[in-house]
Amino acid sequence: MLIFVLAPLKTPGEISRSPLGLPGQFRWENLATAWSDADRGRGLGNSALIALATGAGVAVIAGCAAYALTRLSLPAPGQFIMYLLVVDSLPIQLFLVPPLSLWTKVGLYDNRFGLIVIYWTVYSPFATLLIRTFLLAIPKDYEAAAGLDGAGEIMVFTRIVFPLIRPGVLTAAPVAGLQAYNKFLPAVTFIQDSTKLPVSVALFSFQQGLSLKWALVSAAGLIMVLPVLVLFVVLNRRFVEGYTSSGMSG
């Protein structure tokens, strides 16, 4: 961690001589150079769009699926839960090859929305199981009372259930968004246009061209990580409370 923080502020010679030592002079210009040369602004913008859309989509999909599993009369709901557990345990590589030809035919290849759909598919099972644990702890009396007042399923879910499971949704959505932000393999598989690349793939391309300039490569990597660190610090307490209260922490 110390090397990762100090390397962007050193010269290449200082990195070679003393990776753990303090720089003789803090080279803040390395960050500015990496920002412009690696096109960090565009990469961060693409990643932010993908992460936000992934988190919002997963929250909606998982919330509706969890509500259906716990409140609606589905045939063999245990089989659905087992399916979600199995799918969640599979490596993400299994979800990448089958859609390639289909995505090309329907115009979703080399498209950020196509990549977001892949992330919805991959991260919704875990989010569904997480939100389901919140729903199991909520008595059905609230919904029954609303039903007696004439509320339909949609109104019951949006007005009664959703506010009660908000901690679970606010836990599942950031988890899915951060995973989408960090993932490299799906992005490099489905995105080819350099203007649409998320920050992780853009960093790899930048590193390939500057394999010996570790100060600039480290600076580009630090710029990529900083938004995640800030978000974690801001949401850390809410995330931990939501995760532990779900009963899935151990």
Side-chain angles (χ1 to χ4, degrees):
M1 182 64 180
L2 188 61
I3 296 177
F4 181 72
V5 173
L6 292 178
L9 305 177
K10 295 180 177 181
T11 63
E14 289 175 330
I15 295 176
S16 301
R17 290 192 302 270
S18 179
L20 292 175
L22 292 174
Q25 180 181 357
F26 289 96
R27 305 281 179 172
W28 300 106
E29 62 271 17
N30 288 342
L31 296 173
T33 302
W35 177 272
S36 59
D37 292 357
D39 203 6
R40 297 283 81 186
R42 178 178 294 174
L44 288 174
N46 290 333
S47 290
L49 174 63
I50 293 171
L52 290 174
T54 298
V58 166
V60 173
I61 295 169
C64 294
Y67 181 79
L69 287 173
T70 55
R71 295 300 193 263
L72 303 183
S73 298
L74 299 178
Q79 294 183 11
F80 285 101
I81 296 173
M82 180 60 66
Y83 170 78
L84 293 176
L85 288 170
V86 171
V87 170
D88 185 54
S89 65
L90 296 176
I92 194 172
Q93 289 84 347
L94 295 179
F95 297 93
L96 301 183
V97 177
L100 272 176
S101 60
L102 176 61
W103 258 225
T104 303
K105 293 178 182 178
V106 300
L108 290 178
Y109 183 76
D110 201 16
N111 186 303
R112 284 169 294 194
F113 179 71
L115 179 61
I116 292 168
V117 172
I118 296 294
Y119 288 144
W120 287 347
T121 305
V122 172
Y123 301 132
S124 290
F126 172 77
T128 300
L129 296 172
L130 178 65
I131 297 175
R132 175 179 173 270
T133 61
F134 284 86
L135 279 166
L136 291 175
I138 298 174
K140 297 182 180 180
D141 298 342
Y142 301 109
E143 300 153 57
L148 292 176
D149 290 337
E153 289 288 348
I154 296 178
M155 183 173 291
V156 169
F157 177 74
T158 56
R159 298 290 182 87
I160 306 298
V161 176
F162 183 78
L164 296 175
I165 64 172
R166 187 175 298 169
V169 174
L170 294 179
T171 301
V175 169
L178 289 175
Q179 287 178 316
Y181 182 90
N182 292 322
K183 282 297 181 182
F184 173 82
L185 187 58
V188 78
T189 302
F190 287 93
I191 300 293
Q192 298 298 320
D193 189 344
S194 60
T195 63
K196 302 176 184 177
L197 291 177
V199 68
S200 58
V201 182
L203 174 62
F204 176 77
S205 301
F206 181 67
Q207 179 182 352
Q208 294 299 101
L210 295 173
S211 58
L212 298 179
K213 298 183 179 180
W214 291 112
L216 294 181
V217 173
S218 300
L222 183 61
I223 293 172
M224 172 183 168
V225 172
L226 282 177
V228 178
L229 293 178
V230 172
L231 184 64
F232 179 78
V233 171
V234 173
L235 299 179
N236 178 49
R237 183 176 179 180
R238 183 183 295 273
F239 169 73
V240 173
E241 287 177 353
Y243 186 64
T244 54
S245 62
S246 70
M248 297 185 69
S249 59

